[in-house]
Amino acid sequence: MTTTTSTAPARRRDRDPGQGAVTGRLPWVLLVPALLGLGFLVLPLAGLLVRAPWSTLGTRLAEPQVLEALRLSLVTATLATAVCLLLGVPLAWLLARVTFPGRRLVRALVTVPLVLPPVVGGVALLLVFGRRGLAGQWLEAAFGITLPFTTVGVVVAEAFVAMPFLVISVEGALRAADQRFEEAAATLGASRLVIFRRVTLPLVAPGIVAGAVLCWARALGEFGATITFAGNFPGRTQTMPLAVYLALETEPEAAIVLSLVLLAVSVIILAGLRDRWVTAP
Amino acid sequence: MFRRLSRWAAALPLALVLAGAAGCGSSDPAASAGASAGGTTTVTVFAAASLTGTFTELGKAFETANPGTTVRFNFGSSATLAQQITQGAPADVFAAASPATMKTVTDASLAAAPTTFVRNKLVIAVPTDNPAKVDELKDLTDPKVKVALCAEQVPCGAAAVKALDAAGLTVKPVTLEQDVKATLTKVELGEVDAALVYKTDVIASGGKVQGITFPEADKAINDYPIATLAKAPAGDLAKRFVDLVLSQQGKDVLTKAGFEAP
């Protein structure tokens, strides 16, 4: 395929972002839309900052349910990311490395949660894992496990919505990776599992980290599927986005504070991760 | 060749989104400009989600009675609608599910003298087969019974708290839903054994859930106020719509749906 010619320069670009050899006048055709795009993404954030009730910020943040919701959000998003890594990386490998009939269809199906309105995703989860759902009925009868209205349910909802982000980026990384290393390992007698573990995984590690970061961010902001599938109860299933939505009903200022907390925490974590992992060699 | 095509295909959704956004942006000013130019033919009504069925019916009646007019509805959570109005949304009439949400609008001097036009009562909604054998409010305190309530921030949640307080009962719900329809859905799907919702929602569900009345509901009756807005672009037409809601015809439609006269 195209791997031998196209991946080498692409990888070099990854390594030195912003230090390309091409210099000269910046073309307006690209610069203007780029700045417009940046403004479009950042302005709403500025709106939140401007309208934030700074004088009462301290007292609002000290409210126990804020910290409770934040803790729950961080824990569930991290657990959901772990679930996605465990299931999503092998799934991405399957899609990128194994030829099987219907692969295109499977790839399209994997992206369904991206297209589905999250609330519909939540209803779909209820129909499968709910008390009267196809699998849920059996889970309750056999193990006495019910997922809706539990913290585990939050993790399930978040993982469902966030997994495609991981699968797509890992699959992309796998397709861009130089397959000659894997071929060499195979000629030296390594089994497929050993190749996956010793060659493929280290090779696509940056792609996996990038995918995990995206996946985590999506899980952290998850609202629709969570409130539909897991409901809303403080300390058990009320994550930050749910707390923000309900605060908006009565106290828009409290909602702004909660949004800022969520944004600050996620920006700090994502910025820290990007420097350390995502752009690293 | 194929690769080039697929690249364009990838850009297509974005283009559609942009086009859609541009369309939304241009339609509103055009509508309000038409109204202010004297051709007041459109009445924009912001109404609580629980009024969806009845107001849609009344809107059609209004259009028939006033040929050439159009009634546009924005149904949603009363609190959200109140905020949209205070943020300058072009509305003519506001019908809220609670006096508190109407107060947000009157406090901002955007409406005066709201009239209570209906009242809504809570009932216990259970799945049609009533698996937990619920038949009175006290049964909801049983820890084995899974209960969904509306969050206290929305009118149906505030009413539920009031009714339970009046009865001196403490219920531990498994979830506090964001609105009454979401609460009802949890009952319809059988995920909870019982919920406190409005009588009108049970009737509107068309037999998918069973409603059980309870005496304490009388202590937590929800008043629905309606008002024309001070800056109503439709002017007199807005008042005529409110008159229709308050008329005998309006009362008939509303009581048929389970609302009670004030």
Side-chain angles (χ1 to χ4, degrees):
Chain A
M1 282 178 74
T2 57
T3 46
T4 48
T5 52
S6 68
T7 52
R11 287 187 59 77
R12 202 180 307 139
R13 258 207 313 276
D14 279 350
R15 209 167 293 176
D16 310 309
Q19 296 178 353
V22 183
T23 51
R25 215 163 55 85
L26 290 171
W28 287 108
V29 184
L30 296 179
L31 194 60
V32 171
L35 292 178
L36 277 177
L38 183 67
F40 178 58
L41 292 178
V42 173
L43 268 181
L45 191 66
L48 278 179
L49 287 173
V50 168
R51 291 294 295 275
W54 295 106
S55 52
T56 57
L57 199 66
T59 51
R60 283 183 194 277
L61 286 182
E63 282 175 35
Q65 62 258 45
V66 173
L67 292 175
E68 206 171 50
L70 183 63
R71 186 192 59 83
L72 191 69
S73 274
L74 293 174
V75 168
T76 51
T78 308
L79 285 175
T81 309
V83 171
C84 290
L85 280 170
L86 222 56
L87 305 176
V89 173
L91 178 57
W93 173 82
L94 193 72
L95 289 172
R97 289 288 186 269
V98 183
T99 324
F100 58 90
R103 187 162 68 157
R104 279 186 174 196
L105 181 69
V106 172
R107 188 178 295 136
L109 286 178
V110 165
T111 57
V112 160
L114 284 182
V115 197
L116 213 59
V119 177
V120 179
V123 173
L125 284 173
L126 275 179
L127 294 177
V128 177
F129 296 113
R131 236 178 8 159
R132 295 185 181 178
L134 301 169
Q137 238 168 6
W138 174 79
L139 272 177
E140 189 174 19
F143 305 103
I145 299 173
T146 49
L147 290 179
F149 315 124
T150 62
T151 308
V152 179
V154 178
V155 175
V156 170
E158 289 180 350
F160 174 75
V161 174
M163 185 128 78
F165 288 86
L166 182 88
V167 174
I168 287 174
S169 40
V170 174
E171 198 205 340
L174 281 168
R175 290 178 167 276
D178 197 335
Q179 283 195 33
R180 285 177 305 176
F181 293 111
E182 294 173 14
E183 282 157 15
T187 57
L188 294 171
S191 71
R192 274 190 132 168
L193 186 62
V194 171
I195 296 175
F196 174 76
R197 209 158 46 85
R198 305 288 294 272
V199 182
T200 317
L201 270 189
L203 208 57
V204 298
I208 294 177
V209 175
V213 166
L214 263 182
C215 174
W216 183 82
R218 179 66 187 85
L220 193 69
E222 218 304 304
F223 171 75
T226 308
I227 201 163
T228 310
F229 181 61
N232 167 60
F233 197 83
R236 200 182 321 137
T237 61
Q238 189 181 69
T239 56
M240 282 298 266
L242 273 57
V244 170
Y245 181 83
L246 281 165
L248 206 52
E249 291 282 324
T250 44
E251 276 190 288
E253 292 198 329
I256 294 175
V257 171
L258 291 171
S259 313
L260 280 179
V261 171
L262 187 61
L263 276 171
V265 169
S266 45
V267 166
I268 288 167
I269 292 177
L270 293 179
L273 273 178
R274 269 201 87 76
D275 282 348
R276 189 164 302 184
W277 297 102
V278 182
T279 56
Chain B
M1 177 59 201
F2 179 72
R3 171 168 285 194
R4 182 179 285 184
L5 249 179
S6 68
R7 205 169 282 173
W8 282 109
L12 191 65
L14 180 68
L16 286 175
V17 167
L18 288 175
C24 293
S26 64
S27 69
D28 275 347
S32 50
S36 61
T40 48
T41 52
T42 304
V43 190
T44 307
V45 179
F46 281 33
S50 43
L51 296 167
T52 307
T54 48
F55 267 42
T56 306
E57 191 178 338
L58 287 172
K60 286 203 187 100
F62 187 80
E63 285 169 3
T64 318
N66 301 277
T69 58
T70 318
V71 185
R72 285 198 313 175
F73 288 107
N74 180 12
F75 294 111
S77 137
S78 299
T80 309
L81 296 175
Q83 269 170 43
Q84 287 173 354
I85 292 169
T86 52
Q87 296 291 328
D92 296 305
V93 177
F94 180 38
S98 72
T101 43
M102 179 58 89
K103 196 167 173 291
T104 317
V105 175
T106 48
D107 280 355
S109 309
L110 292 169
T115 317
T116 300
F117 65 105
V118 280
R119 316 173 85 181
N120 212 348
K121 235 192 217 180
L122 290 177
V123 294
I124 306 169
V126 296
T128 40
D129 56 348
N130 196 357
K133 309 264 179 301
V134 172
D135 58 16
E136 57 178 333
L137 195 62
K138 194 159 63 75
D139 296 342
L140 305 194
T141 57
D142 184 341
K144 285 196 288 279
V145 177
K146 284 194 176 183
V147 180
L149 297 180
C150 296
E152 219 180 309
Q153 290 92 334
V154 291
C156 60
V161 169
K162 227 197 266 176
L164 289 167
D165 279 352
L169 297 172
T170 313
V171 170
K172 287 213 168 69
V174 292
T175 178
L176 299 165
E177 294 290 312
Q178 80 269 34
D179 60 47
V180 66
K181 299 284 178 202
T183 312
L184 195 73
T185 306
K186 295 291 193 294
V187 182
E188 278 181 19
L189 292 172
E191 293 302 332
V192 296
D193 301 312
L196 292 183
V197 298
Y198 293 124
K199 187 177 160 198
T200 52
D201 295 301
V202 172
I203 293 175
S205 82
K208 277 190 245 159
V209 302
Q210 191 189 328
I212 301 166
T213 54
F214 58 98
E216 294 87 349
D218 291 341
K219 305 266 170 54
I221 286 176
N222 233 34
D223 288 343
Y224 280 53
I226 190 168
T228 56
L229 296 173
K231 290 180 191 159
D236 185 48
L237 217 51
K239 203 184 154 293
R240 264 155 65 197
F241 183 81
V242 174
D243 288 345
L244 172 70
V245 173
L246 297 173
S247 72
Q248 190 55 45
Q249 187 188 359
K251 278 198 188 98
D252 290 346
V253 169
L254 288 157
T255 47
K256 199 178 67 198
F259 285 106
E260 300 189 354

